[in-house]
Structures are given as structure tokens and as C-alpha cells.
Amino acid sequence: MNKKLSFVSKLCFGIGAFGKDAVYAIVGTYLMMYLTDYRSVAPAFVGTLFMVARIWDAFNDPFMGMIVDNTRSKWGKFRPWILIGTILNAVVLVLLFANNGLEGKSYLIWCSVFYILWGMTYTIMDIPYWSLVPALTDDEDERSQISAIPRIFASCAWLVINSFGLLLVSRFGNGDDVKGFSILAIIIAVVFIFASIVTVLTCKEQIVTESAEKTSVKGMIDVLFKNDQVKVILGIALFFNIAYQLSNSFALYYFKYVAERTYKTEGNGVLYPVYAAVAGFAQMGSMAVLPFLSKKIGKKISFFCASFFPVIGFALLWVLGYVAPTNVILVGVCSAIINSGIGFMLVFITVILSEVVDYGEYKLGTRNESILFSMQTFVVKFAGAFSGFVSGVGLTLIGYVANQKQTEGAEMGMRVIMFLIPAVLSGLCYLIYVKGYKLTPSYYATMRQELHKRKGISEEA
């Protein structure tokens, strides 16, 4: 049985990713610098807050997955929660960046409460969104496309926010950047709600395995620990997301304080927008190409490219920082190499996780999309928290001083955090894949045939 989705439905599914990643982009890219440089919050406090919030998510993410998997409604398991989570998260985003005039301890309490709530409400929407992928089709080629399209829209959102975010903040704020961030957050929240409504109204579950028995806490634990491929995909997702988010969140600091300020009296602010813009286009291009490339050269070689393109790009950017740090063209080339691999990996993780859902049904007899995808959401947020913690505490340890020329030790520390750590973690992703992942194309085809046989479904259906 090859469930296929119309191009319009695939497109509408992708639109939802644009909205939710625009939200994630403003938080992931700007919140730390917004707090340290615009609201004068200590970097160590910010890093600790990010880590504490994600530890809390470790408890609520899998339970949200269980709640979604146990949902029974005429709209299916996933779409009601996508809409509910979107509305809640949009409201919290606006309050997180609110120009409320608070200072000192009052503001620390405000940003702490709403950052934790932001993570919780994002979970409500993000888990069911990605859980839709294995429920839309069980065809491998279709899944590659369905996984690639929202990732392309997501990268487009990051491209827009990263490239034009500070410009829009300056324009909206007209000299008051805190006000500018507040207005930008409101606009993104409105776009987010519209995008999710489009997805909810146009994308319906196709692969449905109804069970009268709902998943218990014990069942949730069994799903996570008895499926031996879960630890493999989570290891890959964890290392990749720490590498990706660490380099992404630290890029603002590196280009502002090292690449530009080290070699000029004042940086003109052009390097980061160029790096971010090229990153967005490179990710979108690689995502569009991956389904065809994977069929041409195989998944293993394609995954090698996904893992080691960033390693090569980070190494080149490190060297460039000494020989031609402000060369816009070469910065763009390095960004293209790094983010081509990142684009490949973003699609790979979604495809592999969908296969692990099928494998769980094959091995355990239950289909638990949201429980398994909740772990991806947790990993993404934990990686963001860890990278924020490393960045915040790291900035303190290396002697970072906001809006000042940095010491040589601080500059070297920024290079290590921006380049070396992400490169090592990216290479480890490939090691985990070749050592642990066993769902090869032939194994997966055999497994899918068995699942269809159990359900009495013919392959031609």
C-alpha cells in the first residue's frame, strides 16, 4: 500500500513548519543576546535558565507524546493539539519579548516564567506536528519528500528571521530595540497562527492504527526502551542538534566580536547577515536535492555528506578567521558547505525517526508516533538548552564583556565554541549511524511487507 499525498497537501504541511520555526528562530537566535545585550541579564544566569527549563522539559515532553497518542477525536490524534499548542505558544512568545518596563529581579522572574512556559507550549504543538509525518504515508520516497518540504519551509523561516531580524528590530523600534523585538514577536505570532491553521485544515492522517487500549506510563517506557533503534536516532539527533544550535546561537557573537571587531575599529554588521542568508539558501537547496541524491548514491554515502560537510566548513571558517576574516565571499562559501550538510541531516533525522516508528510497530505491535517524536522535541530543546548553557557559562569563563573589544583568550574561546565543538559532534553522528542503525532499505522493505501482511493490506492497494 503506497499512501500518497497531493502536492497541495505537502505544501500546506510545509507552511506549518514556516510558522513554528519562525517562532523557534527568534528565540533560538536572538533571545540570549536580547537578554544579555539589551536587557542586561548576566550571561551565566541566562545559560542556567536555559538548562533548567530543558530539564523540566525532560519530564513533560514524553508525557505530552503519550497524551497525543491517547487522543481520539474526529480530527484525529494530532491536529487538535497542533492548533491548541500554536495559540498558547504564540501568546507566550509575545509575553516573553514584551516591552514591559520591568528591571532587576522582577524582570528575571518574568523572563524565567515565560521562557519555561514557552518551552512547554511549544511542545504541545511541535510533537503532534512532526508525528503527522509517518501518519501521512508509509512510502519511503513519499516520506523523503514530505520530510524535506517542511524542512525547506523551516529553513526559509530561519533565513528570513536570521537575515532580517535585527534590521526589522531597528526599523520597528526606531531607536528602541526592546520595543522593536516586541513588535517583531507579535508579527511572528500572527504568522504562526495563520500557518498552523493552514496545516490543520488541509493535512489529514492516512496511516491509522486504532487501539481500544490507551498507552499507559509503563507502555510509554516500553516504547522508549524496548525499541533498540530509539537510542540510535536519539544519539544522532542529540549530537547534531547540540552542534547545530551551538554554532547557530554563537554566530552572532563570533562575527560581531571576533571576525569584525578584531580587524576593524567597528564592525559594519554585514558578515552575520551574509552567513545567515547563505545558510538558509544552502539548507533549502540541500533539502530539495536529498531525496534524489539518496536514491542515486545511497543513504549511507548521503549520510556521510550530512555529517562531514559541516566538519569541512567549520575547519575552513576557522582558518579564514586568521587569513581573511572579513572576506564576505569566502564567509558565504564556508556557510554554504556547513549548511548543506545541516540541511541533509535535518531531513535524515525526520525520515529515520519515521522508520523507527514503523520498526516499533513491527517489533512491539503498537504504533506510537507522538511518544517517539516527543523525544525528538525533547532532544532539540535540550540541545538548545545545553548550547545556551555552554554559551552563557562559556562567555563568562572566557572573559566576555558585552559591547567591548574582547581579549585574545576570549576570542580563542569563541572560536572553540563556534567551530571545534560542533565539528567534533557532527563527525560523531556518522559514527553512531554506521555502528548502530540497522534499518537498511532492504530490511525496511521486508519489515513494511510484514506490517501490511498483518493488517491484511496488499502492496498494490
Side-chain angles (χ1 to χ4, degrees):
M1 179 185 66
N2 295 327
K3 293 284 187 180
K4 294 186 181 294
L5 216 60
S6 69
F7 177 74
V8 172
S9 293
K10 293 175 185 176
L11 200 63
C12 290
F13 184 58
I15 289 173
F18 181 89
K20 77 183 195 64
D21 272 72
V23 168
Y24 206 96
I26 187 176
V27 173
T29 300
Y30 296 118
L31 182 61
M32 185 169 189
M33 183 169 279
Y34 170 78
L35 294 174
T36 60
D37 288 25
Y38 297 93
R39 302 302 296 254
S40 301
V41 179
F45 177 88
V46 178
T48 303
L49 169 62
F50 285 5
M51 178 61 74
V52 169
R54 296 296 77 83
I55 291 173
W56 168 242
D57 283 337
F59 294 96
N60 66 64
D61 277 16
F63 282 98
M64 187 63 217
M66 185 177 70
I67 290 171
V68 174
D69 272 338
N70 287 335
T71 298
R72 305 288 184 269
S73 79
K74 66 179 182 180
W75 287 81
K77 295 193 292 186
F78 311 117
R79 291 185 292 165
W81 291 110
I82 292 174
L83 188 58
I84 292 170
T86 293
I87 294 171
L88 292 174
N89 191 252
V91 172
V92 172
L93 177 74
V94 171
L95 294 174
L96 181 61
F97 283 95
N99 186 15
N100 50 28
L102 295 176
E103 295 181 357
K105 290 183 179 179
S106 297
Y107 182 70
L108 295 182
I109 294 171
W110 177 278
C111 70
S112 298
V113 169
F114 284 103
Y115 180 69
I116 291 171
L117 286 176
W118 178 84
M120 293 174 64
T121 53
Y122 193 85
T123 292
I124 296 174
M125 170 276 312
D126 193 52
I127 289 173
Y129 178 85
W130 288 113
S131 299
L132 260 178
V133 174
L136 292 173
T137 181
D138 61 357
D139 181 85
E140 280 189 282
D141 293 336
E142 282 283 290
R143 273 189 185 165
S144 292
Q145 294 179 33
I146 293 171
S147 299
I149 289 173
R151 291 298 187 184
I152 292 171
F153 273 93
S155 289
C156 184
W158 284 86
L159 169 65
V160 172
I161 301 303
N162 285 358
S163 300
F164 303 106
L166 293 179
L167 177 63
L168 292 173
V169 166
S170 178
R171 182 67 59 85
F172 294 148
N174 193 26
D176 183 352
D177 287 342
V178 172
K179 176 184 176 182
F181 271 108
S182 179
I183 295 173
L184 180 60
I186 292 171
I187 293 172
I188 291 174
V190 172
V191 171
F192 183 27
I193 293 172
F194 172 79
S196 289
I197 290 174
V198 170
T199 296
V200 167
L201 293 178
T202 56
C203 297
K204 185 178 180 181
E205 299 165 39
Q206 302 293 327
I207 310 299
V208 181
T209 303
E210 294 289 0
S211 173
E213 183 179 349
K214 293 190 175 183
T215 304
S216 63
V217 174
K218 179 180 181 301
M220 177 184 70
I221 295 173
D222 287 344
V223 167
L224 296 176
F225 288 96
K226 290 186 178 180
N227 185 333
D228 57 283
Q229 292 300 287
V230 168
K231 62 183 179 182
V232 177
I233 181 59
L234 291 185
I236 293 170
L238 179 62
F239 285 164
F240 164 73
N241 277 286
I242 292 176
Y244 175 36
Q245 296 194 49
L246 189 60
S247 65
N248 186 64
S249 64
F250 218 78
L252 274 170
Y253 291 94
Y254 171 76
F255 287 114
K256 178 180 179 180
Y257 291 106
V258 180
E260 290 190 335
R261 287 211 180 208
T262 300
Y263 298 92
K264 295 184 177 183
T265 304
E266 286 292 335
N268 57 20
V270 71
L271 291 182
Y272 178 75
V274 168
Y275 180 85
V278 173
F281 285 114
Q283 287 183 24
M284 288 187 285
S286 61
M287 290 171 186
V289 167
L290 182 61
F292 309 100
L293 182 67
S294 188
K295 290 177 68 175
K296 189 76 174 178
I297 65 176
K299 289 176 68 174
K300 187 174 181 179
I301 298 177
S302 298
F303 197 90
F304 178 86
C305 294
S307 300
F308 283 96
F309 277 11
V311 175
I312 295 169
F314 284 130
L316 292 175
L317 200 53
W318 179 303
V319 174
L320 183 65
Y322 288 101
V323 298
T326 57
N327 188 305
V328 174
I329 295 176
L330 292 179
V331 167
V333 170
C334 291
S335 179
I337 296 171
I338 293 167
N339 288 282
S340 292
I342 288 173
F344 287 154
M345 189 64 79
L346 285 167
V347 177
F348 260 121
I349 288 174
T350 305
V351 172
I352 291 173
L353 194 47
S354 297
E355 293 174 352
V356 172
V357 169
D358 293 335
Y359 176 74
E361 183 182 8
Y362 171 74
K363 185 174 182 180
L364 305 176
T366 59
R367 188 171 183 85
N368 304 99
E369 298 99 333
S370 292
I371 289 176
L372 292 175
F373 272 87
S374 73
M375 298 310 297
Q376 174 188 245
T377 303
F378 163 66
V379 164
V380 170
K381 290 195 294 184
F382 176 82
F386 183 79
S387 64
F389 179 78
V390 170
S391 297
V393 175
L395 285 171
T396 302
L397 292 177
I398 66 178
Y400 162 79
V401 180
N403 300 310
Q404 299 293 325
K405 189 179 187 307
Q406 307 302 311
T407 65
E408 290 186 7
E411 292 169 13
M412 177 56 70
M414 289 184 180
R415 288 186 172 97
V416 170
I417 296 172
M418 172 74 181
F419 305 135
L420 181 60
I421 297 175
V424 171
L425 292 174
S426 187
L428 287 174
C429 289
Y430 183 73
L431 181 63
I432 295 174
Y433 180 80
V434 296
K435 294 293 185 181
Y437 194 65
K438 69 182 185 184
L439 303 184
T440 62
S442 59
Y443 184 99
Y444 182 78
T446 301
M447 182 183 75
R448 194 179 72 169
Q449 289 176 1
E450 173 61 24
L451 288 174
H452 287 174
K453 183 179 178 181
R454 293 178 189 176
K455 299 173 185 178
I457 301 172
S458 66
E459 290 294 306
E460 291 77 19

